Amino acid sequence: MRRAVNDLLGAYDKLIMDPVHGGIPLYRHEIQVIDHPLFQRLRNICQNDILSLVFPGATHSRFLHSIGVMHVGTRMFRAMIDAYLRERQLSEQTDLSLSQLDAIDYLAKTIRLGCLLHDSGHSSFSHQFTQARKIRDLMSRPERFRDLWEGVDYSAYHASEPEELEHEHYSVRVAHDVLSSVDLESAGLAAIDVIGIMETTDVTPSETFCRHAQTFWEFIAGDDAIAGTIPPRDVPQLVMGLLSSIVSGEIDADRADYMLRDGFHSSVTIGGFNLDHLLSNLRFGWDVSEPWMGLAITQKGLGALEDFVYSRHQMYRKVYAHKTALGFDWLLREAINEVLEDPESFDWVDTCLSNMKWFAELTDNFFWEAFRKVARREPRSYSFCIVNRVKLDHIDTRENLGKTEILNHSRWLASELGINPDNVVTCSMKARFSNIQDNFNGIKVLVKNPITRERSLRKITEVSAFFSKFGDGTITHFYRRPEVAEKAPSDLTE
């Protein structure tokens, strides 16, 4: 019967070759999504802003990352289905009904599209774009959300208007337009279900999803589902939560792909982990008392999960928080602010952020051309530094300093070096790992009783002390501003 499931989920219309995962199969409706201009724009958005100025191979795009996330998400779901069938059939020798096969197929295809579109709202230079001061101000403008959804009813996705837009809100907006233009009916899918497993949304799933969710719940939970302790009306949200955790959670397809992909293209080994080993130990977990449905991992798979977390921790410290990389990120944000000082550029970016008709124009290419224009006009500019790779001169690195301590250390460095304090630049990255313990407690461990052979679910930190070792760590690099962009004493009245 597992072969029947594989046959059902394995039919595809096209194969795309990926340097990290190899051949990735695509369905017809997924090809239509990928060919949409709003998705094609991701070809021109770098996955890691300008990390390639430090790691030259890191020029990979959001486009291929998104396809890779879809592939990993599919593997996660299929690995759990396969493990469940394997373990269940050893004792029961049961076959799947057509309704169960249909439910598995529907949920798998919903996961694939959710993964494919999860990052579709990223703008130029990915995360650094929204961290630039003037971009932040633009995205916080009152009425921005309403302008973005003008003429479209967003209430099916958002219960209220967000005060400040993030790239996840744009991903939902892009997904709405893209899925509205795709023949989902032929694939038997509903756009509301796909968007419902993406971040920031709160949806009422389709009747089709509710039907398949109930079938899936009864199939997975077995006797617990038959006992009827969870009202049928609550089941769809439980299943939707499971699917959401595959798209965006602590062990999710997004993190798994970007760690492998960033490590591969940066030519470093610290982002590597054994994906096959991790997937082979993932299971469906449920608890009718909470109620809860989500990811579980076998006790023997804890080593693979620990490796996954440690690799992520090391990537943040050694690659994303690399002293030269963070310095260029700071220069990039300042260069974006410079570009927006031009009224024409400001108005154009403002328009792109409010209108899906023009959002596809907002790519890295637009800003690279703008940087060159500013650099030609003003050699003493941050844009000049970006275009000509003039990096910040690294002075010192400290960890876990507070704001006052950073300011005091910055002033001390300026005094020791005999330079203007305003020419000492600080860049900090917070490695957010203090919530690992709490968040990973949402992922249960399947523990087998050596006597009765029965399995029970336990919190992950009750079984492994590894996850209690992590805490938030702030890495702060101190730099001297490049001479071409240094502030003279007369500039200090700005």
Side-chain angles (χ1 to χ4, degrees):
M1 185 54 63
R2 288 199 306 277
R3 182 176 178 182
V5 175
N6 287 337
D7 288 343
L8 181 65
L9 300 180
Y12 62 89
D13 298 282
K14 188 175 183 179
L15 192 69
I16 188 170
M17 300 309 297
D18 175 66
V20 174
H21 301 296
I24 297 178
L26 301 172
Y27 293 107
R28 184 175 293 105
H29 62 278
E30 293 164 354
I31 297 170
Q32 294 172 358
V33 168
I34 291 170
D35 285 342
H36 193 285
L38 283 172
F39 193 88
Q40 285 290 312
R41 66 183 284 274
L42 297 178
R43 288 181 182 272
N44 298 311
I45 296 177
C46 198
Q47 170 74 10
N48 297 115
D49 48 79
I50 52 173
L51 188 65
S52 60
L53 293 183
V54 183
F55 299 93
T59 57
H60 51 298
S61 68
R62 287 274 162 187
F63 176 84
L64 201 50
H65 164 64
S66 297
I67 296 174
V69 174
M70 178 190 70
H71 179 68
V72 175
T74 304
R75 289 193 61 193
M76 288 177 68
F77 187 70
R78 289 182 61 177
M80 289 186 286
I81 290 288
D82 188 71
Y84 182 84
L85 291 174
R86 183 175 62 251
E87 294 171 355
R88 184 175 179 180
Q89 288 183 350
L90 286 177
S91 59
E92 299 182 15
Q93 295 297 318
T94 57
D95 289 335
L96 293 182
S97 66
L98 286 177
S99 62
Q100 290 171 333
L101 286 170
D102 284 344
I104 292 170
D105 184 55
Y106 189 90
L107 299 182
K109 288 179 177 176
T110 299
I111 289 171
R112 285 174 65 84
L113 284 180
C115 289
L116 186 62
L117 291 164
H118 83 288
D119 266 353
S120 57
H122 266 296
S123 297
S124 311
F125 302 114
S126 298
H127 293 286
Q128 294 305 316
F129 179 79
T130 54
Q131 293 182 30
R133 173 176 45 82
K134 292 192 176 182
I135 295 296
R136 193 77 263 156
D137 292 342
L138 273 176
M139 295 182 70
S140 303
R141 177 176 64 78
E143 309 298 326
R144 171 75 63 191
F145 184 76
R146 291 185 184 180
D147 289 345
L148 190 63
W149 286 93
E150 185 178 7
V152 182
D153 182 10
Y154 60 80
S155 60
Y157 311 131
H158 301 286
S160 60
E161 297 180 24
E163 293 183 3
E164 190 171 359
L165 294 186
E166 302 290 348
H167 78 268
E168 290 89 353
H169 295 106
Y170 281 89
S171 293
V172 173
R173 183 66 182 90
V174 168
H176 172 84
D177 272 16
V178 172
L179 294 177
S180 296
S181 68
V182 171
D183 184 15
L184 284 185
E185 186 176 350
S186 296
L189 300 173
I192 190 70
D193 301 332
V194 175
I195 295 176
I197 65 173
M198 296 171 64
E199 290 185 272
T200 75
T201 61
D202 181 14
V203 309
T204 299
S206 70
E207 292 183 8
T208 302
F209 184 95
C210 293
R211 184 178 73 254
H212 287 317
Q214 185 65 38
T215 300
F216 181 76
W217 167 248
E218 293 172 358
F219 163 61
I220 294 295
D223 293 338
D224 286 340
I226 295 172
T229 55
I230 297 178
R233 66 177 181 274
D234 295 339
V235 170
Q237 289 301 330
L238 284 179
V239 176
M240 189 158 276
L242 168 68
L243 271 55
S244 296
S245 68
I246 293 175
V247 178
S248 179
E250 283 304 317
I251 312 177
D252 61 14
D254 180 32
R255 286 183 173 89
D257 182 81
Y258 79 61
M259 284 170 55
L260 293 174
R261 193 170 302 278
D262 293 352
F264 174 83
H265 287 284
S266 301
S267 298
V268 298
T269 58
I270 54 177
F273 63 95
N274 193 325
L275 180 62
D276 293 333
H277 188 201
L278 180 63
L279 296 185
S280 68
N281 285 285
L282 285 181
R283 299 291 187 271
F284 296 113
W286 66 92
D287 187 339
V288 296
S289 63
E290 291 191 29
W292 171 84
M293 188 176 195
L295 301 183
I297 192 163
T298 65
Q299 194 166 9
K300 70 176 183 178
L302 280 176
L305 181 58
E306 291 169 359
D307 192 29
F308 174 83
V309 173
Y310 184 70
S311 296
R312 180 177 158 215
H313 182 264
Q314 287 294 86
M315 281 292 288
Y316 270 91
R317 294 187 61 88
K318 305 300 183 183
V319 177
Y320 307 134
H322 187 283
K323 64 181 187 298
T324 309
L326 277 192
F328 274 121
D329 284 345
W330 185 89
L331 287 168
L332 174 63
R333 295 191 295 270
E334 293 303 315
I336 291 173
N337 290 332
E338 278 182 344
V339 167
L340 294 183
E341 290 174 3
D342 173 49
E344 183 178 351
S345 296
F346 181 91
D347 290 342
W348 176 241
V349 173
D350 188 23
T351 298
C352 291
L353 287 173
S354 295
N355 193 324
M356 281 294 105
K357 179 180 179 181
W358 304 114
F359 186 68
E361 303 291 328
L362 206 53
T363 65
D364 294 1
N365 297 340
F366 168 80
F367 278 98
W368 276 114
E369 289 303 315
F371 294 156
R372 294 185 182 97
K373 181 179 178 181
V374 173
R376 287 193 298 268
R377 185 179 67 244
E378 181 52 66
R380 286 173 58 85
S381 65
Y382 299 111
S383 295
F384 181 92
C385 295
I386 291 295
V387 171
N388 294 280
R389 200 184 179 276
V390 180
K391 64 181 180 179
L392 295 174
D393 182 17
H394 182 256
I395 302 172
D396 196 11
T397 297
R398 289 286 186 272
E399 295 194 18
N400 302 323
L401 297 183
K403 290 184 178 179
T404 301
E405 293 172 309
I406 291 174
L407 180 61
N408 290 338
H409 191 64
S410 180
R411 289 172 176 170
W412 178 81
L413 287 172
S415 175
E416 290 295 306
L417 295 171
I419 62 175
N420 191 313
D422 281 8
N423 287 330
V424 175
V425 172
T426 62
C427 300
S428 298
M429 174 173 280
K430 190 172 187 178
R432 300 180 184 279
F433 287 95
S434 63
N435 62 355
I436 278 183
Q437 180 171 337
D438 293 335
N439 286 354
F440 271 95
N441 272 335
I443 302 167
K444 310 298 184 183
V445 182
L446 284 172
V447 178
K448 184 183 292 185
N449 186 306
I451 307 299
T452 65
R453 310 302 292 174
E454 292 183 356
R455 292 188 174 189
S456 60
L457 290 172
R458 294 177 60 184
K459 289 183 177 182
I460 202 165
T461 46
E462 294 176 357
V463 181
S464 171
F466 175 84
F467 299 92
S468 304
K469 299 177 181 178
F470 292 91
D472 278 355
T474 301
I475 301 174
T476 302
H477 297 303
F478 297 82
Y479 310 86
R480 176 171 176 160
R481 196 186 304 263
E483 291 184 7
V484 294
E486 279 195 357
K487 290 187 177 182
S490 60
D491 296 328
L492 301 183
T493 57
E494 295 176 358

